[in-house]
Amino acid sequence: MSAEQAAPSRIERKRGRRIQEILTAAAELFGERGYAAVSLEDVAERLDVTKGSLYYYFASKDALGTAAIETLGNEWTSRLENLPAAQEGPPAARLRALLREHITIAVREYPAALGLFLVPREWPREQHERIKELRRRHDGLFRRVVEEGVASGEFRVTDVGTALQCMHASMSQAPVWCEGLAGAAVDRAIERLADTLMMLVGQAP
Amino acid sequence: MSAEQAAPSRIERKRGRRIQEILTAAAELFGERGYAAVSLEDVAERLDVTKGSLYYYFASKDALGTAAIETLGNEWTSRLENLPAAQEGPPAARLRALLREHITIAVREYPAALGLFLVPREWPREQHERIKELRRRHDGLFRRVVEEGVASGEFRVTDVGTALQCMHASMSQAPVWCEGLAGAAVDRAIERLADTLMMLVGQAP
Amino acid sequence: MSAEQAAPSRIERKRGRRIQEILTAAAELFGERGYAAVSLEDVAERLDVTKGSLYYYFASKDALGTAAIETLGNEWTSRLENLPAAQEGPPAARLRALLREHITIAVREYPAALGLFLVPREWPREQHERIKELRRRHDGLFRRVVEEGVASGEFRVTDVGTALQCMHASMSQAPVWCEGLAGAAVDRAIERLADTLMMLVGQAP
Amino acid sequence: MSAEQAAPSRIERKRGRRIQEILTAAAELFGERGYAAVSLEDVAERLDVTKGSLYYYFASKDALGTAAIETLGNEWTSRLENLPAAQEGPPAARLRALLREHITIAVREYPAALGLFLVPREWPREQHERIKELRRRHDGLFRRVVEEGVASGEFRVTDVGTALQCMHASMSQAPVWCEGLAGAAVDRAIERLADTLMMLVGQAP
DNA sequence: TATGAATGAGGCTTCATTCAT
DNA sequence: CATGAATGAAGCCTCATTCAT
């Protein structure tokens, strides 16, 4: 037991890195094509290893899927949690910062995520719970700011939950909308989306 | 002969009905689980026939998928096009009517549609174009009203396109949000969502 | 019993004609693509009827195949049997007439036949015997002339059976060789082949 | 490294051997029953593996077919090319050596080949070109000797091409003719066939 | 650790065959 | 007579999974 808590050995660190590589590749692919449409062969090929090797790190495709979703979700949430501009200041500024960062991550780094967060339908049943949990954490970040804004009278909403859901649904689609864009056009699209979503809490453009 | 196309014979009508049955079953399943995760066996089972029979009506799984999407999209769009409350009156009332109807259809009749319209990623390449086309028609309906409202000064938007996309993304997710609800709770959720989306054009609650 | 021997009624004649049509279509297709590669659907389509109808005339695909081969073989053999130029005269002239006629039929009318006569391998086992029988009759025609020529000293062969087999093998391939040719070129190819095969019985060009 | 291409590793050699085993089994079966009539299940069964395993080595049935044909054709042609008796001496002796060897291979080792070389009809379209190419190489061997003999006045032919085609057609059928024979009878049949075919270039028995 | 090989279940598709109308 | 519909077996192919090395 004490060993488990001890600092990871060099070998364990290496294993950890390998796992991260696999997870990244898997998350990308699952995101690009959807869970069902990605084979372990695909994942293995992107990593330039054989299918069999993946089983050394993950017990099954489902396990890999779960881990991939979890990793992605955790990293994403962490980045939002640690975003300086979202820590203090008026709710409007903080919400806008969160929206921009979230959309930017979605569009620039994880065009994948759409499939991971938006469409649980196609994931194995066991993962549904985990995905929901991730969403809750994620949601909490935005919810706190929105509720604070509502409390202080800065924001006006029909319903906090509904507004949050609309924000998430819209942001998740962003990568699809930006698919054909490049360079500064992407930046402008991100701004437009953030501005538009601010309207959901009554912040006119 | 005076009618367009010559009236279909009794047998042709029967065939047409059968095709509709299949299409309905298929659209439901594809919607529930996603295209890739649904096997023809699943579709056949729901219809209580054998897999082979499906091939009497559709040349391939892809063909069935295409037809399912098309039928669904056409019917859906038609209903919106013919919605009385959306024909005349102030843009705000008309937009709200469209939103409510669309959400209601999505939630009550095609919990399926999410997968069909929102995630083209996982559909065979040939269908992408058709899906886009359907979306365009669909989009046009909302766009006209929004643009009219903007022109008349009733609506204020950051960007018409972006606002429309947010509406669609949000409405498509509605079935997921309503999954656990029942009875009047669903109605209230629909109202909340419609109200919230009206804010995207500057209509405060 | 007496009825069975009686002249066929009008209905029976009609049935007979229909059967001939089917047989012709089937023989063509089987010949073009091989037995296994032809579906009853293909046959039905060429006749512009439905698959089911074929079962009114033939109990199974195999039965159709057998009948097709038989019909083709019978007609073919009859034409050779009744060829005037093959009835009398010196063996060399008669053999050459048979060769020319056979090749001409093969090339011009039944490019199909290759599959029927040459490659029994792919036919259902029951048909092998029938095909052999057809071949025997067919062979007999040539054999009589060759043996007569050998007896009279006009022909010289290593072995009658072997010479005959070479003739048949070669003639059956003729349609393949002539595939790209047209018009007079076909005629010349036929002549060349007949001349060449005459050498098998020692008739120098 | 000094060798061409880098020496294959032990594992690569093993893989190569396995592929050869599969190819041999496949060529036999295709030859016996024709391409369309052989299922991968049949091939797998003969090798005592499961169908799926074949896909580890070949991407499709077509690919397997192509490879089988190619392997068979290459080996066959090589053996003829390296036949000592066909290298020098009078054309008649060389041609006869080629004929005997070819027939012997056909009858004793590849009763299969009939289907592979003679009936391209039933092979997938892509393979037609390859089969033709193989036939060309193969043909060239015989053609050179025949043309030499014609040039030197030893041979007399109606037409070189036609004579060659007759030879091939006849030789390809040899396995069928020999099917029921055994022991010395086979040898005699081979001799008879070779002698008979020599008549096609005017070499009386 | 990683790989090559093999497996077996399941998915798509074709097709001979049956049958009610 | 003929058709439309349906079936079920069989064929091709994919892929998650296992395992010896």
Side-chain angles (χ1 to χ4, degrees):
Chain A
M1 302 303 157
S2 63
E4 285 175 351
Q5 303 291 349
S9 70
R10 189 157 44 78
I11 280 183
E12 279 165 337
R13 280 200 309 279
K14 191 171 170 193
R15 180 180 172 87
R17 271 200 308 275
R18 198 85 188 91
I19 287 182
Q20 276 311 313
E21 285 172 27
I22 296 174
L23 251 23
T24 303
E28 279 174 23
L29 283 167
F30 288 148
E32 285 166 22
R33 303 182 213 159
Y35 183 75
V38 170
S39 74
L40 288 192
E41 183 65 46
D42 295 332
V43 179
E45 197 182 341
R46 180 163 298 199
L47 290 162
D48 211 33
V49 297
T50 55
K51 235 187 325 185
S53 307
L54 298 180
Y55 279 87
Y56 186 73
Y57 297 98
F58 297 96
S60 67
K61 188 188 178 185
D62 275 17
L64 174 56
T66 302
I69 244 183
E70 205 127 334
T71 300
L72 187 84
N74 283 336
E75 196 200 311
W76 196 319
T77 311
S78 295
R79 285 177 59 174
L80 292 183
E81 282 169 348
N82 299 321
L83 189 69
Q87 308 294 353
E88 48 190 332
R94 282 159 59 205
L95 178 57
R96 208 174 180 293
L98 281 176
L99 291 172
R100 276 185 57 183
E101 181 72 4
H102 184 106
I103 302 167
T104 304
I105 296 176
V107 169
R108 293 215 186 280
E109 292 170 63
Y110 301 109
L114 164 64
L116 299 184
F117 289 100
L118 206 55
V119 196
R121 252 174 345 142
E122 64 173 15
W123 288 83
R125 211 147 285 284
E126 324 152 31
Q127 268 118 324
H128 288 199
E129 226 14 80
R130 293 193 192 247
I131 294 181
K132 270 191 192 155
E133 166 58 23
L134 278 172
R135 247 141 90 157
R136 256 192 300 278
R137 265 187 67 198
H138 204 252
D139 225 64
L141 276 171
F142 288 82
R143 181 177 293 270
R144 269 192 297 281
V145 183
V146 171
E147 282 176 343
E148 195 178 318
V150 170
S152 74
E154 275 175 271
F155 292 168
R156 291 186 51 182
V157 297
T158 304
D159 174 75
V160 175
T162 306
L164 287 170
Q165 282 170 324
C166 291
M167 287 181 194
H168 273 91
S170 302
M171 293 191 293
S172 295
Q173 282 293 89
V176 173
W177 304 333
C178 293
E179 226 165 42
L181 275 45
V186 175
D187 291 325
R188 282 195 303 274
I190 292 175
E191 295 302 324
R192 275 200 307 272
L193 180 50
D195 284 338
T196 299
L197 293 178
M198 288 302 290
M199 295 182 75
L200 289 172
V201 292
Q203 302 290 299
Chain B
M1 298 306 158
S2 64
E4 53 277 292
Q5 289 292 89
S9 71
R10 189 164 47 80
I11 261 178
E12 277 164 337
R13 282 199 307 276
K14 192 168 169 192
R15 182 180 174 88
R17 249 180 288 134
R18 195 89 185 88
I19 287 182
Q20 276 311 315
E21 284 172 30
I22 296 175
L23 249 24
T24 302
E28 276 174 26
L29 283 166
F30 288 150
E32 285 165 23
R33 301 182 216 159
Y35 183 75
V38 170
S39 74
L40 289 191
E41 180 66 41
D42 296 332
V43 180
E45 196 182 343
R46 179 163 299 199
L47 290 162
D48 211 35
V49 295
T50 58
K51 242 183 325 182
S53 306
L54 299 180
Y55 282 87
Y56 187 70
Y57 297 97
F58 297 95
S60 66
K61 188 188 178 186
D62 273 19
L64 174 55
T66 301
I69 261 190
E70 206 124 335
T71 301
L72 189 88
N74 284 337
E75 198 200 308
W76 196 320
T77 310
S78 296
R79 286 178 58 175
L80 292 183
E81 282 170 348
N82 298 323
L83 189 70
Q87 308 293 354
E88 50 189 332
R94 282 159 59 204
L95 178 58
R96 204 170 183 296
L98 281 177
L99 291 172
R100 274 184 59 182
E101 180 74 2
H102 183 106
I103 302 167
T104 304
I105 296 177
V107 170
R108 293 214 186 281
E109 292 170 66
Y110 300 110
L114 162 65
L116 301 184
F117 287 98
L118 206 56
V119 194
R121 228 178 6 136
E122 65 174 16
W123 288 84
R125 210 148 285 284
E126 322 153 32
Q127 269 115 325
H128 287 199
E129 223 18 76
R130 292 193 193 246
I131 293 181
K132 270 191 192 154
E133 167 58 22
L134 278 172
R135 249 142 90 156
R136 255 193 300 277
R137 264 186 67 197
H138 205 251
D139 225 65
L141 276 172
F142 288 81
R143 181 178 294 270
R144 269 192 297 281
V145 182
V146 171
E147 282 174 344
E148 195 178 317
V150 170
S152 75
E154 275 175 272
F155 292 167
R156 294 186 48 182
V157 298
T158 305
D159 175 74
V160 174
T162 306
L164 287 169
Q165 282 169 325
C166 291
M167 286 179 195
H168 273 91
S170 303
M171 292 191 293
S172 296
Q173 283 292 91
V176 174
W177 304 333
C178 293
E179 226 164 40
L181 276 44
V186 175
D187 292 324
R188 282 195 302 274
I190 293 175
E191 295 303 324
R192 277 200 305 273
L193 181 50
D195 285 336
T196 299
L197 294 178
M198 288 303 288
M199 296 183 73
L200 289 170
V201 291
Q203 302 291 299
Chain C
M1 299 301 157
S2 63
E4 285 175 352
Q5 304 290 351
S9 71
R10 188 156 46 78
I11 279 186
E12 278 165 336
R13 282 200 308 279
K14 191 172 172 194
R15 180 180 172 86
R17 271 200 307 275
R18 199 84 186 93
I19 287 183
Q20 275 312 313
E21 284 173 29
I22 297 175
L23 252 22
T24 303
E28 277 174 25
L29 283 167
F30 287 148
E32 283 166 24
R33 304 183 212 158
Y35 183 75
V38 171
S39 75
L40 288 193
E41 182 64 46
D42 295 332
V43 179
E45 196 183 341
R46 179 162 299 199
L47 290 162
D48 211 34
V49 296
T50 56
K51 235 185 330 182
S53 306
L54 298 180
Y55 280 86
Y56 185 74
Y57 297 98
F58 297 96
S60 68
K61 188 187 178 185
D62 275 16
L64 174 56
T66 303
I69 245 184
E70 206 129 335
T71 302
L72 186 84
N74 283 336
E75 196 200 310
W76 196 320
T77 310
S78 296
R79 284 177 60 175
L80 293 183
E81 282 170 349
N82 297 322
L83 189 70
Q87 308 294 353
E88 48 190 332
R94 284 159 57 205
L95 178 59
R96 207 171 180 293
L98 281 176
L99 290 172
R100 275 185 59 182
E101 181 72 4
H102 184 106
I103 302 168
T104 303
I105 296 176
V107 169
R108 293 214 186 280
E109 291 170 65
Y110 299 110
L114 163 66
L116 300 183
F117 288 98
L118 205 56
V119 195
R121 249 173 348 139
E122 66 172 18
W123 288 83
R125 210 147 285 284
E126 325 150 31
Q127 268 115 323
H128 287 199
E129 224 17 77
R130 293 193 193 246
I131 294 182
K132 270 191 192 155
E133 166 58 22
L134 278 172
R135 244 142 92 157
R136 255 193 300 277
R137 263 186 67 197
H138 202 252
D139 224 65
L141 277 171
F142 288 81
R143 181 178 293 272
R144 270 192 296 282
V145 182
V146 171
E147 282 175 343
E148 195 179 318
V150 169
S152 74
E154 273 177 272
F155 292 168
R156 292 186 49 183
V157 296
T158 304
D159 174 75
V160 173
T162 306
L164 287 169
Q165 280 169 326
C166 290
M167 286 180 194
H168 272 92
S170 302
M171 292 191 295
S172 296
Q173 282 293 90
V176 174
W177 303 333
C178 292
E179 223 164 44
L181 276 44
V186 175
D187 292 324
R188 283 196 301 274
I190 291 174
E191 296 302 323
R192 277 201 305 274
L193 180 51
D195 284 338
T196 299
L197 292 178
M198 289 302 289
M199 294 182 73
L200 289 172
V201 292
Q203 303 289 300
Chain D
M1 302 306 159
S2 64
E4 53 279 292
Q5 291 292 87
S9 71
R10 187 162 51 78
I11 262 177
E12 277 164 335
R13 282 198 307 276
K14 193 169 169 191
R15 183 180 173 87
R17 249 178 288 135
R18 195 86 185 90
I19 288 182
Q20 276 311 314
E21 284 171 31
I22 297 175
L23 250 24
T24 303
E28 278 173 24
L29 283 166
F30 287 149
E32 284 165 23
R33 302 183 215 159
Y35 183 75
V38 171
S39 74
L40 288 191
E41 181 66 43
D42 296 333
V43 179
E45 196 182 342
R46 179 163 299 198
L47 289 162
D48 210 33
V49 294
T50 58
K51 244 187 319 184
S53 306
L54 299 180
Y55 282 87
Y56 187 70
Y57 297 97
F58 297 95
S60 67
K61 188 187 178 186
D62 274 18
L64 175 56
T66 303
I69 260 190
E70 204 125 335
T71 301
L72 189 89
N74 283 337
E75 198 201 308
W76 194 321
T77 311
S78 296
R79 285 177 59 174
L80 293 183
E81 282 171 348
N82 297 322
L83 189 70
Q87 309 292 356
E88 50 189 332
R94 282 159 58 204
L95 178 58
R96 207 172 180 293
L98 280 176
L99 291 173
R100 274 184 59 182
E101 181 73 3
H102 184 105
I103 302 166
T104 303
I105 295 177
V107 170
R108 293 212 185 283
E109 291 170 66
Y110 300 111
L114 162 65
L116 301 184
F117 287 98
L118 206 55
V119 194
R121 227 180 6 139
E122 66 171 17
W123 287 84
R125 209 147 287 282
E126 322 152 33
Q127 268 116 323
H128 288 197
E129 223 17 76
R130 292 194 194 246
I131 294 182
K132 271 192 191 154
E133 167 58 22
L134 278 172
R135 246 141 92 153
R136 256 194 298 278
R137 263 186 68 197
H138 204 253
D139 224 65
L141 276 171
F142 288 82
R143 181 177 292 271
R144 270 193 294 283
V145 182
V146 171
E147 283 175 342
E148 195 179 317
V150 170
S152 73
E154 274 175 273
F155 292 168
R156 294 184 51 182
V157 297
T158 305
D159 174 74
V160 174
T162 305
L164 286 169
Q165 281 169 325
C166 292
M167 285 180 196
H168 273 91
S170 303
M171 292 192 294
S172 295
Q173 283 293 88
V176 174
W177 303 332
C178 293
E179 227 164 41
L181 276 44
V186 174
D187 292 324
R188 282 195 303 274
I190 293 175
E191 295 303 323
R192 278 200 306 272
L193 180 51
D195 284 337
T196 299
L197 293 178
M198 288 302 289
M199 295 183 74
L200 289 171
V201 292
Q203 302 290 299

